[in-house]
Amino acid sequence: MSITILAIESSCDETAAAVIHDGNILSNVIASQKEHEQYGGVVPELASRQHVKHIVPVVDEALKNARVEKKELSAVAFTAGPGLIGSLMVGSSFAKAMALALDIPLITVHHMQAHIHAHFISERKPQFPFLCLTVSGGHTQIVLVKGFLQMEIVGETLDDAAGEAFDKTAKMLKLPYPGGPLIDKYAQSGNANAFQFPEPNIPGLDFSFSGLKTAILYFLRENLQRNPAFIEERLNDICASVQQRIVTILLHKLEKAAKQFQIKEIALAGGVSANSMLRKEAQRLADEHNLNLFIPPLEYCTDNAAMIASVAYQKFLVKDFATLGAAPVARMSWAENDPR
Ligand code: KG4
Ligand code: ZN
């Protein structure tokens, strides 16, 4: 029997749908929201309204691109969390209605587990067990991946996510949201050693970015008092220096994890893995310690539904179905040590 699943992602500011057939992605459609640019971050109410607007055309396009009829679907999957509740509600209500109407199983997917699945839909796949540094706008984790659905969180941020550190820095520099890609761009022509920012002393494999955020705030305040044009004059150097610090914080912990677990396969996932310095430095780390590095193509790094579909396919194989009563942000045991 062949398996065809429609997967829906709506946890933040991307409305996405994908179709997977026997483990192969047939379509992957994304509608991104530009409405948040001027606000320096995602505005939840605006995001929910945009999801309502986009969900029907995005699902229709995903089915059309895959040349799949609704009646051919074996299951419908959706991101159940973590994410913005209003945004999640749109995807979950839509998926439930469809599963009910078509009388097919419903599958809930954990967004962070899905980010790791970007590796299983990419051509170059890591071998189990591997360590995945998942860095996005909302999360920063190091996960020990033992199987498609067997994962253990071995380190995570105690406060802000790495993407948030990029985005909040950008906001302080008066750059639009999301600021990560812009910091990356300006940093290309800056001197990464121009300014020194602190590396937090956090035990184990956990991260913290809130101290860095405060340090940047004070640094800018002080310099702007002396020179009101400081940001404009030194934008490239500020971006390069901040980026270097965020990247070193991330990679020091990944290096530590690889040593601790004696693992040779390391991987990046999530939107921040688009960062050019992170990619370059992760490769340098891999070469230095003889590790294999895996970075999925960009389209699978940022939020998308193909990664949701990949988790859903594995869950279908083990008949891990949800009931129609499954709430968004439902308790989902996605990692051995995370009952969320
Ligand atoms: O995974 P993602 O698309 O959405 C979440 O689940 O959060 O990640 C979005 C994050 C944003 O914080 C954005 O600024 C950051 O990824 N990002 C980058 C780059 N491209 C995206 N950060 C640094 N450098 C980049 N090139
Ligand atoms: Zn994400």
Side-chain angles (χ1 to χ4, degrees), residues 47-104:
S48 314
R49 285 169 186 267
Q50 290 301 312
H51 284 304
V52 170
K53 198 163 130 191
H54 291 309
I55 188 104
V56 173
V58 164
V59 167
D60 280 349
E61 198 180 330
L63 290 169
K64 191 170 139 235
N65 292 356
R67 294 173 195 274
V68 164
E69 301 278 337
K70 289 191 189 85
K71 62 177 189 299
E72 294 174 275
L73 292 174
S74 322
V76 184
F78 68 97
T79 303
L84 300 169
I85 184 70
S87 293
L88 289 166
M89 286 291 291
V90 180
S92 77
S93 309
F94 192 93
K96 284 179 196 176
M98 218 164 155
L100 182 66
L102 298 169
D103 195 21
I104 51 176

Side-chain angles (χ1 to χ4, degrees), residues 176-326:
Y177 176 85
L182 292 169
I183 292 191
D184 192 352
K185 186 180 125 197
Y186 292 118
Q188 315 266 347
S189 4
N191 170 9
N193 298 314
F195 307 109
Q196 298 301 319
F197 294 103
E199 175 158 6
N201 189 9
I202 307 293
L205 299 172
D206 289 334
F207 303 90
S208 168
F209 290 99
S210 65
L212 176 64
K213 183 177 63 185
T214 313
I216 296 167
L217 180 74
Y218 289 145
F219 162 83
L220 289 176
R221 207 179 271 173
E222 214 171 276
N223 281 285
L224 284 169
Q225 258 165 18
R226 268 197 294 257
N227 172 13
F230 178 69
I231 292 180
E232 293 82 71
E233 286 174 11
R234 305 296 302 272
L235 185 62
N236 296 346
D237 289 344
I238 303 169
C239 288
S241 304
V242 171
Q243 176 175 274
Q244 162 153 288
R245 177 49 75 218
I246 297 173
V247 168
T248 52
I249 292 172
L250 292 171
L251 292 182
H252 282 162
K253 293 292 174 134
L254 185 59
E255 181 179 357
K256 195 170 170 185
K259 278 195 190 130
Q260 191 173 316
F261 293 98
Q262 299 198 335
I263 284 192
K264 289 278 171 202
E265 311 267 290
I266 57 167
L268 303 182
V272 181
S273 50
N275 184 265
S276 56
M277 187 184 186
L278 180 61
R279 287 171 168 246
K280 202 171 81 204
E281 290 302 308
Q283 190 57 60
R284 211 171 54 83
L285 176 75
D287 293 345
E288 199 181 310
H289 297 283
N290 215 4
L291 309 171
N292 293 319
L293 173 69
F294 297 83
I295 310 176
L298 211 54
E299 60 176 319
Y300 295 148
C301 278
T302 50
D303 286 352
N304 66 85
M307 67 185 195
I308 308 298
S310 174
V311 177
Y313 177 68
Q314 293 299 329
K315 284 192 150 187
F316 192 101
L317 293 178
V318 296
K319 303 222 172 331
D320 184 353
F321 301 135
T323 63
L324 284 176

